[in-house]
Structures are given as structure tokens and as C-alpha cells.
Amino acid sequence: MSNATKETVIVLDFGGQYNQLIARRVRECNVYCEILPYTVDIQKIKDINPKGIIFTGGPNSVYDESSPHYTPEIFELGIPILGICYGCQLIAWMGNGEVKTAPVSEYGKIELNAKDSVLFKGVPEKSVVWMSHTDYIATPPQGFEIIGYTDDCPCAAMENKAKNIYAVQ
């Protein structure tokens, strides 16, 4: 089967330790998945024409100019995007939201308060999740709605339904 006939999801790797696990979970849904480095040219992504893109986590801070970043053109492709951890913060940063060092870092089991959304369909309003971050989204980008929060993280998840962009801390 060629890439043109396969449903493909791209995992764009920003240095997170869970990139293989994310790809495995996608594959367990019977969807072809490729892990590509954040340095991949946008043209390769266009050529693959994926059904979705996942931005992984990573150990860096998005506001550090030496950290991995990507071209904003990716948001103009019309492809659904899910950002996880660093990927969530990168989406906020690239959309002119505000990312800061968290007053309280979260690590371990945390109670998430989730709003009704496409991303959290079937998820209880209160769920125990695993959080591991020292930065947080202080202000989401314009067009994004906060759909999840914790006691110490006012934006643990956000969405822009119009652009099909979702993100979880």
C-alpha cells in the first residue's frame, strides 16, 4: 500500500521520551504511523499528506530560542494536530500565547478537571492523570479554549476547534 492510500499519522519528535509509546498507541488503532524528527522539512510532511500530526514532549522550554521549534506553516496545512507536553506548550508559544516557568511544578498523579470536548469525549469530569512539567501555559493563544485544568495548572488542555488543533499538558 502506498502512502497515498494509507491513513498516516506523523509523530513529530521534539526529544520526548515517549515518542515510541505514542506511535505504538496510534498503531494499535490500526493506523500507520511514522516518527519524524522536528528537523524534517515541511515539504516531506506535505508529501506524506498525513491524516494527523502529533507533537511530542521534550525536555526543553519553548521560550529558550535554542530549543526545538518548527515552522508556523504547519498550522496552515489544514491537518489536525495534537500537542503533548512540550508539544502543547509549543503550540501555545507559536500561536503567541504565553508560556512561563510554573510557580508549582507538577510531577506524578494529579487530578484533572476536564470540560466536555471532542478530545475528552467519554472522559469523566474529574480524572487522575500523570503530569510532568516545570513550564505551563499562562495564556492560551487567541482562538483556543481551555478544556482542562488542575489545581496548579490553569491550562492543562486546550483546543481550537476551528483549526482542529488540540493540546494536553
Side-chain angles (χ1 to χ4, degrees):
M1 205 184 300
S2 72
N3 278 349
T5 58
K6 281 189 238 177
E7 278 196 353
T8 301
V9 169
I10 290 174
V11 173
L12 204 55
D13 183 13
F14 289 94
Q17 59 185 338
Y18 296 112
N19 60 4
Q20 295 291 334
L21 177 62
I22 292 166
R24 187 175 101 208
R25 293 292 184 217
V26 171
R27 292 174 186 133
E28 286 173 355
C29 293
N30 296 313
V31 175
Y32 181 77
C33 184
E34 287 186 36
I35 300 171
L36 298 175
Y38 74 91
T39 54
V40 70
D41 187 83
I42 189 78
Q43 187 58 51
K44 180 165 183 170
I45 292 174
K46 289 177 182 178
D47 291 345
I48 293 171
N49 191 25
K51 295 290 184 187
I53 300 169
I54 300 172
F55 289 5
T56 69
N60 302 94
S61 293
V62 295
Y63 46 80
D64 178 350
E65 288 304 316
S66 66
S67 292
H69 291 92
Y70 203 71
T71 176
E73 186 182 350
I74 198 161
F75 298 119
E76 298 166 15
L77 300 179
I79 298 168
I81 296 175
L82 171 64
I84 301 172
C85 196
Y86 180 88
C88 175
Q89 296 166 10
L90 185 60
I91 288 170
W93 182 257
M94 289 172 68
N96 294 317
E98 187 177 22
V99 179
K100 295 181 171 181
T101 300
V104 177
S105 295
E106 291 182 315
Y107 183 79
K109 293 179 182 180
I110 307 288
E111 186 175 75
L112 172 74
N113 300 283
K115 293 184 178 180
D116 185 37
S117 66
V118 172
L119 196 60
F120 293 134
K121 184 177 181 174
V123 174
E125 187 178 324
K126 293 193 180 291
S127 297
V128 175
V129 299
W130 184 269
M131 297 284 263
S132 176
H133 64 97
T134 54
D135 290 339
Y136 79 113
I137 297 166
T139 308
Q142 188 172 0
F144 281 80
E145 178 186 346
I146 295 171
I147 58 170
Y149 65 92
T150 70
D151 288 346
D152 293 312
C153 186
C155 180
M158 62 181 186
E159 68 180 7
N160 182 323
K161 284 191 233 181
K163 293 187 176 182
N164 237 354
I165 301 172
Y166 302 87
V168 294
Q169 186 57 67

